[in-house]
Amino acid sequence: MDKWGVYMEINQLLKQGFSKSKTAEKLGISRSTLYRYIKRQPKDMGEWTESLLTRQKKLDPNKTLILNWLRKHPDMSASQVSDWLVEKYPSLNVGESTVRSYVRALRKDYDIPKETTKRSYEAVPEGPMGHQVQIDFGQAYYEKARGGHIKLYFIAFVLSHSRYKYMYWLDRHFTTKDVIYAHELAFKWFEGVPDELVYDQDNLIVVSENGGDLILTEEFQSYKETMKLNLHVCRKADPESKGKIENVVGFIKKNFGKHRVFQSLDKWNEQAIDWLNRTGNARLHNTIKKRPADVFSLEKEHLRPIPNKEIVPYNVNTSIARSIRKDNTIRYLSNRYSLPLGSFHKYDEVFLTLTDEQMLIICCPDGEILAKHKLSIEKGKLVQDRTHTRDRTKGIDAFLESVSRCFKNEALAGTYLSQLRENYPRYIRDQLQMVSKVAKATDKDILEQALEECVKRKLFSATDISDVVDYIKRQRLIPDTTMNQEDGNLPSSSKRHHWVMTTGSQKRDMNQYYSILEGELS
């Protein structure tokens, strides 16, 4: 409905007895707009609406350019249109709301509906200044200046409090050395180091979870100790733990990278820095209602200083394409490496990358990591990840009950396993599997003694009970028969440990030997 039609509808509804609030609600306009309309006389309203038809809008000189963008990229946001305009015309002074209204009008007049996708995130409480930075990776295909497309990879950083961002791009998969180099660049950009670094479970940083106890890659472990970093590694695509960086990755893809033409990697990273200064860190943030650059000017005072040292980039081999076999494996250097069940029907091929730590990383075409294996130096071997075959349908409660039955004292075992569940809620299945493996391979008496010691000493971890079992096995001694039975004392050189256990050899009945000998003589 045009403005004159709205004006007439307002007057009709008011004459029918509708209140101003109800009239605005029925017509879908704000009350301030309604008040502006009812103050005008019909003659003034007619002259105003007629002037709108001939009045030039501020963005009309750029109309053709904006229309070309919208027609070529229907999913383009008004925010990205605003950023592209400022990038192309740095002297252009126009508000984002003006661009949004203009783009909305063009979409309606030229029938260019916007293509949208939705993703939900859960709110995360705000942390103190300088406390946390969230880090994640992203990748996407982009058009090349000379034709064709190229897949680019990036790592993004965002300070949780100020939302101040940084990103670094490569035209190949990252290695651990690249990740360390990107960290050095980010800390230099932030002018300090935060108290906590939040990561996804990326193979470049984490080798194994070990039931919640993190084992880092050798290079990153060394870097962590040198920089005295405090790490928190969360589940993949976990918005509860790293929702801010999930949003930043999407913002970078949709606002900076989308529809941008790739010329060279150096040029691309230069454009990324310009975008951060112009848009990523300079635009009003919708959640905190402040500009990240303004908040960062205060937050950087709370960051830990970093030592000055030379930053040197690194190189890595490119990825290798492989077809998936029917048994959900791929062949590499005469060995087979497992993939998750169903990969054969889901993907035509996968891409392999060998890291400096001799880890074989297997990714699907869109860059998602499907599997990671330690490279085997043998030939003809099947290297299989147990998670590619284990049954995930069994409930945790049933699994906990099943493991507790491996112990003599099921009640005590149930209490111990419940405490494991409380300590490792996200890794309880891994913890139970480790305990079950230890229980099935251990003598019942030793297992029971280990359980009692773990409860007594409050050692609630699968690795702890495994270590205690090993310790008891090493301490098993035969009782000293020379002990003075009267005073019950032992010489200091032969005192027994409080975990000592007695044992004896198994004795067969002699008739078994007689029957064997008789058989040989006959």
Side-chain angles (χ1 to χ4, degrees):
M1 188 182 299
D2 59 17
K3 298 185 184 311
W4 178 259
V6 173
Y7 177 76
M8 296 300 294
E9 285 289 338
I10 289 174
N11 284 283
Q12 288 292 333
L13 291 173
L14 291 176
K15 287 180 180 179
Q16 293 175 16
F18 286 93
S19 66
K20 293 182 178 66
S21 298
K22 198 67 177 178
T23 299
E25 181 182 345
K26 288 179 68 67
L27 296 177
I29 60 176
S30 65
R31 282 186 291 177
S32 59
T33 300
L34 181 139
Y35 287 131
R36 287 201 307 270
Y37 276 37
I38 61 178
K39 287 180 180 179
R40 297 177 183 271
Q41 295 297 322
K43 180 180 178 181
D44 297 334
M45 189 67 188
E47 292 176 352
W48 179 62
T49 54
E50 186 176 353
S51 68
L52 292 178
L53 300 177
T54 58
R55 187 178 69 182
Q56 186 179 34
K57 296 182 180 179
K58 190 172 185 178
L59 290 174
D60 278 347
N62 309 107
K63 179 178 179 180
T64 302
L65 179 63
I66 297 174
L67 272 175
N68 288 337
W69 287 344
L70 295 177
R71 284 169 175 161
K72 187 176 181 180
H73 314 295
D75 57 343
M76 195 174 192
S77 65
S79 176
Q80 191 176 23
V81 170
S82 176
D83 179 68
W84 281 23
L85 285 172
V86 176
E87 182 179 13
K88 191 173 183 65
Y89 307 108
S91 60
L92 181 64
N93 185 17
V94 60
E96 190 174 348
S97 60
T98 301
V99 178
R100 189 161 49 246
S101 300
Y102 192 78
V103 169
R104 188 187 306 116
L106 287 182
R107 287 189 179 279
K108 180 179 179 181
D109 294 342
Y110 292 88
D111 192 23
I112 309 176
K114 184 180 180 182
E115 299 175 0
T116 59
T117 55
K118 295 182 179 180
R119 183 174 182 181
S120 299
Y121 292 93
E122 185 176 343
V124 179
E126 299 296 334
M129 287 189 177
H131 172 64
Q132 184 187 88
V133 63
Q134 297 185 7
I135 304 151
D136 203 2
F137 296 85
Q139 64 275 318
Y141 285 95
Y142 298 102
E143 183 181 351
K144 296 169 67 175
R146 298 183 179 180
H149 291 79
I150 184 173
K151 188 173 185 180
L152 299 179
Y153 306 82
F154 68 92
I155 182 172
F157 302 75
V158 61
L159 291 171
S160 296
H161 183 85
S162 64
R163 305 319 200 265
Y164 198 70
K165 310 165 194 68
Y166 178 73
M167 58 176 161
Y168 176 64
W169 292 79
L170 287 178
D171 55 0
R172 53 175 170 74
H173 285 289
F174 277 80
T175 66
T176 303
K177 290 181 179 179
D178 292 319
V179 173
I180 293 174
Y181 173 59
H183 278 65
E184 292 293 310
L185 294 176
F187 295 150
K188 183 177 180 181
W189 175 263
F190 293 140
E191 302 178 39
V193 183
D195 296 331
E196 181 183 65
L197 283 72
V198 177
Y199 299 92
D200 201 349
Q201 289 192 20
D202 193 90
N203 58 281
L204 302 175
I205 299 171
V206 181
V207 173
S208 173
E209 300 170 3
N210 196 24
D213 299 320
L214 297 176
I215 301 177
L216 305 181
T217 60
E218 182 178 352
E219 285 180 298
F220 203 83
Q221 177 67 31
S222 175
Y223 181 69
K224 171 182 177 292
E225 293 173 356
T226 301
M227 298 294 293
K228 298 180 180 179
L229 303 178
N230 179 26
L231 273 57
H232 171 75
V233 179
C234 53
R235 295 289 190 185
K236 184 178 180 181
D238 181 7
E240 294 183 358
S241 300
K242 57 183 183 69
K244 297 180 181 68
I245 192 62
E246 294 270 353
N247 281 318
V248 168
V249 169
F251 186 36
I252 289 173
K253 288 182 179 180
K254 295 175 184 177
N255 193 289
F256 168 72
K258 202 166 191 176
H259 312 308
R260 188 176 293 272
V261 178
F262 177 83
Q263 296 176 348
S264 69
L265 187 62
D266 290 339
K267 181 67 174 177
W268 189 271
N269 274 308
E270 288 176 8
Q271 292 173 341
I273 295 300
D274 291 341
W275 178 86
L276 287 171
N277 291 325
R278 180 183 66 248
T279 299
N281 292 324
R283 187 168 293 176
L284 193 72
H285 194 278
N286 190 49
T287 301
I288 62 176
K289 303 302 180 185
K290 298 176 183 178
R291 302 181 192 279
D294 295 339
V295 184
F296 173 71
S297 64
L298 301 175
E299 185 176 18
K300 66 182 180 180
E301 301 298 329
H302 297 265
L303 299 175
R304 176 166 53 87
I306 57 175
N308 294 324
K309 58 181 179 179
E310 183 181 1
I311 302 176
V312 182
Y314 303 91
N315 295 317
V316 71
N317 297 328
T318 56
S319 58
I320 306 167
R322 281 289 188 274
S323 297
I324 304 177
R325 298 162 57 89
K326 290 184 179 180
D327 58 356
N328 292 291
T329 63
I330 57 97
R331 279 195 177 276
Y332 182 70
L333 297 180
S334 302
N335 290 312
R336 290 179 297 151
Y337 294 87
S338 68
L339 291 172
L341 295 177
S343 298
F344 173 74
H345 299 287
K346 192 172 182 181
Y347 308 106
D348 294 329
E349 63 178 4
V350 291
F351 297 89
L352 317 182
T353 301
L354 184 62
T355 69
D356 295 338
E357 293 78 23
Q358 297 299 298
M359 289 294 296
L360 186 65
I361 311 304
I362 308 176
C363 300
C364 62
D366 63 3
E368 180 183 356
I369 296 175
L370 296 176
K372 52 185 178 180
H373 298 282
K374 185 70 175 177
L375 189 68
S376 175
I377 60 175
E378 302 180 67
K379 291 186 178 181
K381 295 293 183 180
L382 170 62
V383 183
Q384 192 171 47
D385 189 332
R386 60 184 175 81
T387 62
H388 297 164
T389 58
R390 73 178 177 183
D391 182 13
R392 299 173 182 272
T393 61
K394 192 173 183 180
I396 295 298
D397 291 334
F399 196 4
L400 191 149
E401 183 179 352
S402 174
V403 176
S404 66
R405 287 198 293 268
C406 296
F407 296 81
K408 288 183 178 180
N409 190 341
E410 293 186 22
L412 184 61
T415 301
Y416 181 81
L417 297 177
S418 296
Q419 186 62 49
L420 256 64
R421 188 174 191 175
E422 182 177 341
N423 290 359
Y424 298 92
R426 294 186 299 159
Y427 302 92
I428 184 58
R429 186 181 295 276
D430 303 283
Q431 289 280 322
L432 292 176
Q433 285 182 335
M434 294 170 66
V435 173
S436 177
K437 184 178 179 180
V438 171
K440 292 177 181 178
T442 305
D443 179 86
K444 295 295 183 182
D445 292 332
I446 295 178
L447 185 65
E448 204 65 17
Q449 189 174 356
L451 174 64
E452 293 173 359
E453 286 296 331
C454 286
V455 172
K456 176 182 177 181
R457 300 174 182 274
K458 298 181 179 180
L459 302 175
F460 297 106
S461 169
T463 53
D464 288 335
I465 195 170
S466 177
D467 291 341
V468 172
V469 165
D470 291 340
Y471 184 86
I472 294 176
K473 288 180 179 179
R474 291 195 302 269
Q475 297 298 322
R476 294 179 69 183
L477 299 174
I478 298 176
D480 190 349
T481 56
T482 63
M483 175 178 178
N484 189 331
Q485 299 294 335
E486 295 180 0
D487 57 16
N489 294 324
L490 283 170
S492 59
S493 60
S494 60
K495 285 186 177 179
R496 297 169 56 206
H497 194 278
H498 68 287
W499 275 345
V500 169
M501 296 188 64
T502 60
T503 185
S505 60
Q506 182 180 2
K507 297 181 179 179
R508 294 192 180 188
D509 189 280
M510 290 299 296
N511 291 328
Q512 295 183 29
Y513 296 99
Y514 294 150
S515 61
I516 294 173
L517 292 173
E518 289 174 357
E520 292 181 351
L521 295 174
S522 60

